[in-house]
Amino acid sequence: MERQTVSVRRSPTYEREAMLEAVRAHFDAFGGVGAFVRPGDRVLLKTNLLMARAPQAATTTHPSLVWAIAAAAREAGGLVCIADSPGGRYTKETLKKCYRISGLEQAAQSAGAWLNFDLGAQQVSFPEGKLCRSFHLISPWHEADVVFSACKLKTHAMTAYTGAVKNCFGLIPGLEKPEMHFRFQQLPAFAQMLIDLCRCAAPRLTFMDAVVGMEGNGPSGGTPRPLGLTLCAENPFALDLFASDLIGFAAHEVETVRLAVQQGLCPERAEQLLAVGEDAAPYRCSFERAASGDVTFSSRIPGPLQKPIKRLLAPRPVVDAARCVGCGECAASCPVQTISISGGKAHIEKKRCIRCFCCQEMCPVKAIDIRKFRGFQI
Ligand code: SF4
Ligand code: SF4
């Protein structure tokens, strides 16, 4: 496989001018913004707008990076639409709240971009998919001449890591996302669906906000972790290989990376990529994993005992009643409807839980913990 390029820029702060400089350098690494955007092109800027959180929480792509990409595309004559379908209900009210709190409202206004309020979605066929051969994607994707993705570097309770490839999941409207979790309950199938989706969505460039990432119980319940970089690549699979390696994840720990390597979508090792710009070596670190990390230990247990022991050891979501405000966001996101709200608190019926951790992801007050079996610890 030919070497694939990842552009690396030192970006210690979210200061707007510095961010614009970094974005221009990223574009230049791939032939300049004009190689992607012609005057009059409709540009979709797909950001990570998981939920209504302030930028400093490091849950969503920072508005300064979104602003800078939009400003650069506008300079090239593009008509920029900023869009994402957050978790939970896909309504104008939800979008409005998310745009306002995440800082995107202001970013769009000053970059001369517009925010998507079209709640439509259409089917697109993708015959090349290994597992999924069609997707139902939000309207701005269908209307775009060029798609740019602006993702956030984070750990993830279900997929271990989230960055370029998983950012495309937000092209699926609202509560159809939990339906996908229901259809693809096992991690390998879910990861394959994400790979097919990313290939179908085909962002021309993916920018990654790694100025401040998130470690621990990401993608929303973790802790902000400064890294001081922005990254960019044409190949989102290569970008994920590079970024996950940078924060200390082996390729086999991240199912989307493992499958992408297996399917020849990126090289086997990050060293085989061509990194341009800043030397990333001094930034190498180890992000704390989400508590839900898979239980490989049980594979060494005799066959008949594996299933019950795996069930016992598997991490599961637990509601912290003291923090729960009874908003119902978790119940709305649960693909198997195993959460009820009574007495102003959420209750999870353990037996039916498929451990997708959508509830933990969507809880606005971090009231859902991921609990592991502690019985064998000393
Ligand atoms: S656990 Fe979180 S999301 Fe669920 S009802 Fe309580 S506060 Fe809302
Ligand atoms: S309770 Fe939470 S982890 Fe379990 S299936 Fe529902 S959303 Fe997924």
Side-chain angles (χ1 to χ4, degrees):
M1 172 175 292
E2 70 185 72
R3 292 190 89 184
Q4 297 184 28
T5 304
V6 175
S7 169
V8 182
R9 294 287 150 186
R10 185 175 169 270
S11 305
T13 72
Y14 285 114
E15 196 267 316
R16 271 194 183 178
E17 285 312 309
M19 203 54 46
L20 185 56
E21 203 180 307
V23 162
R24 286 196 180 118
H26 285 309
F27 272 119
D28 288 345
F30 299 99
V33 62
F36 298 91
V37 182
R38 288 164 309 176
D41 273 353
R42 292 172 71 102
V43 178
L44 165 62
L45 178 45
K46 196 296 181 189
T47 184
N48 181 335
L49 188 58
L50 176 62
M51 64 200 325
R53 280 262 171 90
Q56 55 273 23
T59 302
T60 52
T61 309
H62 198 280
S64 284
L65 177 61
V66 177
W67 170 84
I69 303 166
R74 290 284 295 136
E75 279 167 12
L79 307 168
V80 182
C81 172
I82 298 168
D84 191 19
S85 160
R89 303 166 186 93
Y90 190 42
T91 63
K92 284 192 178 162
E93 292 68 38
T94 308
L95 286 177
K96 211 168 174 187
K97 187 175 171 197
C98 288
Y99 291 147
R100 183 173 47 81
I101 295 178
S102 68
L104 283 184
E105 198 173 77
Q106 224 259 325
Q109 206 172 42
S110 55
W114 80 91
L115 295 166
N116 175 57
F117 282 102
D118 179 346
L119 303 177
Q122 295 84 42
Q123 206 69 23
V124 56
S125 104
F126 184 61
E128 302 92 319
K130 260 180 102 66
L131 185 64
C132 289
R133 297 195 172 84
S134 76
F135 290 98
H136 197 223
L137 303 184
I138 58 173
S139 295
W141 181 85
H142 296 268
E143 289 155 10
D145 299 303
V146 187
V147 177
F148 292 139
S149 171
C151 65
K152 185 86 173 169
L153 174 63
K154 296 186 285 183
T155 48
H156 195 283
M158 186 195 184
T159 57
Y161 155 94
T162 170
V165 173
K166 190 159 186 304
N167 196 37
C168 294
F169 196 42
L171 291 171
I172 292 178
L175 296 175
E176 289 181 35
K177 287 190 281 294
E179 284 172 29
M180 296 300 258
H181 278 284
F182 185 71
R183 273 177 69 193
F184 306 106
Q185 296 187 11
Q186 300 301 318
L187 181 58
F190 188 73
Q192 184 60 57
M193 179 278 293
L194 290 176
I195 287 176
D196 290 341
L197 171 60
C198 183
R199 290 177 60 218
C200 173
R204 291 287 310 282
L205 275 182
T206 301
F207 297 84
M208 183 176 284
D209 172 3
V211 180
V212 180
M214 178 180 279
E215 66 177 353
N217 284 333
S220 63
T223 312
R225 168 100 187 231
L227 198 62
L229 290 175
T230 53
L231 307 172
C232 181
E234 288 180 295
N235 179 347
F237 303 100
L239 183 52
D240 275 351
L241 171 68
F242 186 88
S244 59
D245 176 75
L246 189 67
I247 61 168
F249 284 74
H252 68 81
E253 285 185 83
V254 184
E255 191 64 6
T256 46
V257 172
R258 189 185 72 80
L259 291 175
V261 168
Q262 208 177 69
Q263 290 160 33
L265 298 168
C266 64
E268 269 177 47
R269 298 188 317 279
E271 309 87 84
Q272 293 170 290
L273 297 164
L274 180 65
V276 297
E278 187 80 13
D279 177 13
Y283 296 86
R284 292 191 71 80
C285 58
S286 180
F287 269 35
E288 185 196 325
R289 272 57 172 168
S292 57
D294 204 11
V295 185
T296 47
F297 155 77
S298 63
S299 60
R300 299 200 297 270
I301 291 167
L305 291 176
Q306 271 196 20
K307 223 174 168 182
I309 291 197
K310 248 188 174 168
R311 203 177 304 131
L312 178 71
L313 297 182
R316 59 189 176 83
V318 175
V319 177
D320 179 341
R323 273 182 284 160
C324 174
V325 294
C327 66
E329 286 296 330
C330 53
S333 308
C334 178
V336 289
Q337 288 91 45
T338 191
I339 305 178
S340 56
I341 309 291
S342 63
K345 305 287 174 190
H347 303 271
I348 299 175
E349 192 193 323
K350 274 192 293 190
K351 264 192 183 158
R352 291 197 302 130
C353 173
I354 60 169
R355 299 186 176 91
C356 64
F357 303 112
C358 291
C359 51
Q360 183 254 356
E361 188 170 326
M362 290 317 301
C363 178
V365 294
K366 301 189 184 184
I368 296 186
D369 296 324
I370 300 170
R371 203 154 295 167
K372 275 179 161 170
F373 180 76
R374 304 269 180 214
F376 299 150
Q377 289 192 351
I378 49 171

